[in-house]
């Protein structure tokens, strides 16, 4: 706060009318012409700018410094789903602005309706995000090793990992069971898959294994879709789905060059973003408990500022993750 | 000084008032006078226009995927284009939805230093992180994915496709 006009009791310039007999009257003006809540929200947002700049900056630098980086369809990212999520967040940004406008003119019911819609859109965003995470998990893509199946290259280490998985006692039983199943109890995909799996087992166990053999094994287990197959749901290559898709219980190690760093950055960035969305939803849920009239406009504005920032981060995340 | 709300330096607190109350008074006064109207700058029409622009821009990012995009063999052009689209979208959100367009000059105090720090931060990562693969140990090179690995996998996929076709 600056003391902008101080009326001194014994001063010369008694130009204002309220300097009474030795009373020190002070007039203050706020240092910044905005309310405390909004000031604090903006200060918080400027720290958030740096937080996400660090994450996005690291991603860009890691990505462009990497020798190989997976294409979005190599890691089962679907551009239409990402675009739809972008649309959902943009819609929710509009609805929260409309809630603020309604509250400013004391349209309490309308403000509450827009706020509720914002909450629902945010929940929808998280739901879609959860679905996307699930599709990564089901393909063995996790942010770190215990469950993650990603190997960087189809080399000897990869070959021995596949061999080790196939040699687990439970797997041996399961494979024997599959081999003994009569053909008429399997689907066409499974019959073809069983033959391919037998070839893979032979190739992995072979003592005179070539580098190319391991690439073939990796391609059979989880093929990397070709560029042209980006929009189709097919797995490219024209040889059906990967063995991990045909027999989900196999969970054999997979090869995605650059995949581990990709998974770390993807889950870190979208995870932190999702946490921010969740916090926004909690704030909206709390605000819904209030009467949203002009008196609460400041609160709604601050919540809105935060929400727009969350939208802003996604605006950059979407092209960086899904389209690059 | 005799008319506190017309002070050129902004709202002034009267004795016994908090800063927030002063702001409220000032806003009420301005409202009555008809200038700096708090509601006039928003406007539902303007918000909907911005919304349509955002949707249009999101669709535009997909232009790089269309066969008509002339720089398909130079992905960098597409990346620059998509970043330009993203920055435009971000500016629209910040200026209109976050009302920064209508805020006083304090907006520069908060946003410009933060943006500069953000840019410095990214630049500072380049030597150690961005160039980490210029000099790597043999151990690391052994486990690191290379372009040749991708080529090998593509060749395997082609061979499998050929085998399936016959």
């Amino acid at each position: 706060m600056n003391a902008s006009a101080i009326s001194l009791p014994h001063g010369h310039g008694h130009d204002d009318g309220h300097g009474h007999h030795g009373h020190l009257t002070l007039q203050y003006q706020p240092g910044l012409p905005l309310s405390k809540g909004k000031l604090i929200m903006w200060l918080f947002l400027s720290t958030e700018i740096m937080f996400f700049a660090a994450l996005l900056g690291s991603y860009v630098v890691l990505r462009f410094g990497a020798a190989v980086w997976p294409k979005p369809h190599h890691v089962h990212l679907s551009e239409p789903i990402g675009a739809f999520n972008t649309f959902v967040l943009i819609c929710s940004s509009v609805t929260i602005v409309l809630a603020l406008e309604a509250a400013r003119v004391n349209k309490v019911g309308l403000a509450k309706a827009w706020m509720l819609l914002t909450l629902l859109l945010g929940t929808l965003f998280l739901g879609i995000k959860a679905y996307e995470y699930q599709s990564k998990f089901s393909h063995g893509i996790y942010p770190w090793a215990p469950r993650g199946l990603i190997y960087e290259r189809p080399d000897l280490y990869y070959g021995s990992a596949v061999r080790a998985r196939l040699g687990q006692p439970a797997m041996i039983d399961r494979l024997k069971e599959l081999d003994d199943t009569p053909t008429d109890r399997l689907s066409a995909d499974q019959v073809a898959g069983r033959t391919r799996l037998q070839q893979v087992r032979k190739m992995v166990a072979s003592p005179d294994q070539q580098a190319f053999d391991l690439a073939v094994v990796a391609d059979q287990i989880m093929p990397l879709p070709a560029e042209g197959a980006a929009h189709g749901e097919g797995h490219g290559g024209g040889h059906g789905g990967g063995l991990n898709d045909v027999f989900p219980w196999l969970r054999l190690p997979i090869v995605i060059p650059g995949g581990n760093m990709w998974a770390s950055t993807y889950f870190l960035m979208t995870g932190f973003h999702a946490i921010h969305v969740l916090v926004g939803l909690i704030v909206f849920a709390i605000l819904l408990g209030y009467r949203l009239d002009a008196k609460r406009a400041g609160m709604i504005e601050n919540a809105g500022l935060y929400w727009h920032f969350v939208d802003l981060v996604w605006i950059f995340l979407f092209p960086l993750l899904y389209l690059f | 000084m005799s008319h506190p709300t017309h002070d050129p330096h902004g709202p002034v607190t009267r004795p016994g008032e908090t800063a927030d109350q002063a702001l409220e008074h000032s806003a009420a006064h301005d409202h009555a006078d008809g200038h700096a109207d708090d509601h006039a700058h928003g406007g539902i029409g303007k918000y909907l226009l911005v919304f349509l622009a955002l949707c249009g821009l999101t669709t535009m990012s997909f232009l790089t995927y269309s066969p008509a995009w002339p720089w398909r063999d130079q992905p960098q052009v597409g990346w620059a284009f998509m970043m330009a689209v993203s920055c435009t979208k971000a500016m629209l959100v910040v200026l209109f939805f976050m009302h920064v367009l209508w805020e006083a000059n304090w907006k520069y105090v908060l946003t410009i230093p933060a943006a500069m720090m953000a840019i410095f931060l990214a630049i500072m990562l380049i030597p150690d992180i961005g160039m980490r693969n210029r000099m790597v140990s043999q151990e690391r090179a052994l486990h690191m994915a290379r372009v040749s690995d991708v080529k090998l996998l593509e060749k395997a996929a082609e061979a499998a496709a050929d085998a399936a076709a016959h």
Side-chain angles (χ1 to χ4, degrees), chain A residues 311-323:
Chain A
D311 183 19
L312 212 66
V313 171
W314 186 256
I315 284 176
F316 285 101
L317 276 185
F318 168 62
L320 281 174
L321 287 172
Y322 291 79
L323 302 178

Side-chain angles (χ1 to χ4, degrees), chain A residues 37-97:
Chain A
K38 197 166 157 186
L39 173 64
I40 287 164
M41 180 49 79
W42 270 103
L43 279 174
F44 171 65
L45 288 185
S46 54
T47 67
E48 288 278 82
I49 291 175
M50 289 183 262
F51 176 78
F52 276 104
L55 290 183
L56 287 169
S58 315
Y59 168 76
V60 169
V61 166
L62 280 169
R63 187 219 152 109
F64 289 103
V68 195
W69 198 260
K71 297 259 185 310
H73 45 275
H74 289 172
V75 281
H76 311 280
L77 269 183
S78 153
E79 292 96 341
I81 291 182
F84 182 68
N85 244 352
T86 310
F87 176 70
V88 169
L89 266 198
I90 290 175
C91 285
S92 75
S93 256
V94 178
T95 54
I96 189 69
V97 160

Side-chain angles (χ1 to χ4, degrees), chain A residues 28-30 32 34-36 38 42 53-54 61-62 64-65 68 79 94 97 101 104 153 231 237 315 319 323, chain B residues 9 11-13 20 23 39 47 65 79 82 86 103 106 110 118 121 129-130 132-133 142 144 146 149-150 161:
Chain A
Y28 288 104
Q29 71 176 45
L32 292 170
L34 67 171
S35 70
K36 270 183 231 143
K38 197 166 157 186
W42 270 103
V61 166
L62 280 169
F64 289 103
V68 195
E79 292 96 341
V94 178
V97 160
E101 293 296 312
R104 273 185 176 159
R153 3 182 11 207
H231 293 290
I315 284 176
L323 302 178
Chain B
H9 304 296
V12 173
T13 344
D20 283 9
L23 280 170
H39 308 293
Y47 290 140
Y65 276 51
W79 295 336
M82 282 188 274
S86 284
E103 298 289 4
W106 61 263
L110 285 181
L121 190 69
I129 311 292
R132 70 193 183 286
N133 288 338
L142 196 63
M144 208 166 77
R146 276 168 257 172
D149 294 316
V150 182

